[in-house]
Amino acid sequence: MRRCFNLALLGAGHVAPNPMVGAVLVHEGRIIGEGWHQRWGEAHAEVHCLRSVLPENRHLIPYSTLYCSLEPCFHFGKTPPCVNLILEHKIPRVVIANIDPNPKVAGQGVAKMRAAGVEVQTGILEEEGAWLNRSFFHWIRHNRPYVVLKWAQSANGFIGRTGERVAVSGPLVQRLVHRWRSTSDAILVGTTTALTDNPKLDARLYGGKNPLRIVFDIEKKIPAEYNILDDSIETWVFGPARSGHFTRTHFFSSEDKINLPNLLQQLYQANRATLLVEGGAMLLKQFLENNLWDEIRLIEHPGSMGGDVKAPVLPVGMALKETYRVGMDNIRIFCNSSVSLKE
Ligand code: AOF
Ligand code: ZN
């Protein structure tokens, strides 16, 4: 199953809002097929896995066990049901980490296989699977994107200095942040951050896809020549429309105040499953105060800095999920424990 998770992760940044899924076919302790969901709208993990079996091993398929990180699908979506494929190949045993929370599947895949005589085992490494696909699970259960708050703070608790672009963390962390961007579906910053940092909000240091950029510009303060208004990447601006020829930039000119629930609703409708909020302090605070967040990625720099913008106060009752070090900096990943992954 861990191998399934590793394969699934190869789809990160390419499959959202679909889940990342990996599948492995095993015959008497030997892997004879592997696959993963590679791109949104394309073949599922099980299809790739079965296609990968070499001609000389194909006769072993009806004697093998299929491991899937997610319950094989039951519905006709953009692709036909994986359950049908499994039955056609007469696979006798299927082992699954998570039941697919998609109401179109939701246990019906397992039921159909069992009814056809397939031995099905579920719940293997279930917690790890749910963590891997936390965005998808959240998006499909709660009808809103999974909200990740990210900030970097110095040892003395600052995240910045008014009116100045300052790097709190080291260069390796910058790469990591670009990776986080490329595996998010949208990134959001507030007006002050857009003005102070003039960020591009792309994933150039990591590669992969650039997510949708979002900025609040209610008072139309951002200079027209700033990166975020360069129309090079799909961008949503919550604030008055601008003159000029925009093809990728969309203005939500009816917005006269920051309305986070409305923003999340718009993102849900646009099939964006993960929102990365990159600051600044005011916007992070608003998400925290309204309990509209699901995960915090905290970057802690060991050195002090002369700053005046205080880091947000960490909420109580969070669950620490991961800790690691990147260069000099410590990364801690917390999830909002008021949101259960199981439900
Ligand atoms: C699987 N294996 O690898 C994935 C599954 O629109 P479609 O046809 O691509 O279906 C998308 C839904 O299928 C998605 O919301 C989720 O419920 C399931 N994803 N299922 O059997 C896979 N990616
Ligand atoms: Zn499928």
Side-chain angles (χ1 to χ4, degrees), residues 82 136 212 245:
C82 290
F136 167 72
L212 168 70
H245 183 64

Side-chain angles (χ1 to χ4, degrees), residues 24 54 69 88 115 163 177 200 204 211 244 254 264 284 311 320 330 333:
V24 169
L54 294 173
S69 59
E88 281 157 23
V177 169
K200 287 201 179 73
R204 67 193 175 280
S254 58
L264 296 179
L284 292 166
L320 178 63
N330 271 321
I333 313 279

Side-chain angles (χ1 to χ4, degrees), residues 29 56 65 152 169 211 239-240 260 277 313 326:
E56 62 266 35
T65 298
S169 53
L260 299 184
V277 184
V313 178
V326 174

Side-chain angles (χ1 to χ4, degrees), residues 15 17-23 36-47 68-83 100-106 136 139-140:
V15 299
N18 274 357
M20 293 173 271
V21 184
W36 68 96
H37 186 37
Q38 300 180 355
R39 237 163 241 291
W40 183 89
E42 295 181 8
H44 286 180
E46 297 86 334
V47 175
C68 301
S69 59
L70 189 76
E71 174 185 16
C73 66
F74 171 82
H75 65 299
F76 284 88
K78 285 173 286 299
T79 65
C82 290
V83 161
D100 187 347
N102 183 347
K104 290 179 187 152
V105 187
F136 167 72
W139 181 80
I140 205 136

Side-chain angles (χ1 to χ4, degrees), residues 245-270:
H245 183 64
F246 292 99
T247 54
R248 299 186 185 90
T249 310
H250 181 78
F251 294 90
F252 291 80
S253 44
S254 58
E255 302 290 314
D256 55 5
K257 63 176 176 21
I258 293 179
N259 183 338
L260 299 184
N262 178 39
L263 165 69
L264 296 179
Q265 192 52 37
Q266 305 261 18
L267 282 168
Y268 175 71
Q269 280 163 4

